[in-house]
Amino acid sequence: MNTSHPYIWNYLPLAFQLLVAVGLAGGMVVGSYFIGKKRASKVKAGAYECGMEPVGDARGRFSVRFYMVAMLFILFDVEAVFMLPWAVIYRQLPHITGSRFFGFWEMIVYLGFVAVGLFYVWKKGVLDWSQDKADL
């Protein structure tokens, strides 16, 4: 460890990177303000909804099923995040745990819990959108 300068100086490259990032972002915003055209029109002031004319109230109600599917998506997304590190070190697991099939059976138990949850929501009808008429 080099003690010829204070420890805080080790953060100097990070400070420069943050300074460049903030300066670049600010420069683009200020540059677009000065360079861009400023012609107001009814079309520019109107709401933009993916190329479609906005119809109805923006505060419309969504079915609870919509939120259930969103939570299920997050659940299975997190499942994939937990499976990736396991897959990366799968071949080293016998050396880490001392047992040949410990990592395999642990993942089987984990996937079993996920399968029970999927079976539960399937039987509850959360995934059957044909019955949902709440937000039509």
Side-chain angles (χ1 to χ4, degrees), residues 110-128:
Y110 176 70
L111 290 175
F113 282 124
V114 173
V116 167
L118 179 61
F119 182 74
Y120 175 76
V121 298
W122 179 40
K123 283 299 185 182
K124 282 294 213 179
V126 173
L127 301 176
D128 186 15

Side-chain angles (χ1 to χ4, degrees), residues 20-88:
V20 167
V22 169
L24 185 64
M28 283 192 262
V29 170
V30 169
S32 69
Y33 176 78
F34 286 117
I35 295 172
K37 296 178 182 177
K38 298 166 190 67
R39 291 188 207 143
S41 70
K42 186 177 180 180
V43 174
K44 280 187 179 180
Y48 180 75
E49 295 289 335
C50 301
M52 299 172 60
E53 288 292 323
V55 178
D57 187 16
R59 293 177 188 87
R61 295 182 59 125
F62 286 98
S63 171
V64 173
R65 188 163 288 160
F66 173 80
Y67 297 105
M68 294 292 288
V69 170
M71 287 190 294
L72 287 173
F73 172 76
I74 291 171
L75 171 76
F76 288 110
D77 195 38
V78 169
E79 172 196 356
V81 168
F82 281 137
M83 288 178 66
L84 184 66
W86 173 83
V88 168

Side-chain angles (χ1 to χ4, degrees), residues 86-87 89-90 92-94 97-110:
W86 173 83
I89 66 163
Y90 180 71
Q92 287 84 27
L93 281 175
T97 62
S99 175
R100 188 170 176 195
F101 289 107
F102 178 77
F104 175 77
W105 291 115
E106 286 295 317
M107 186 51 67
I108 293 297
V109 169
Y110 176 70

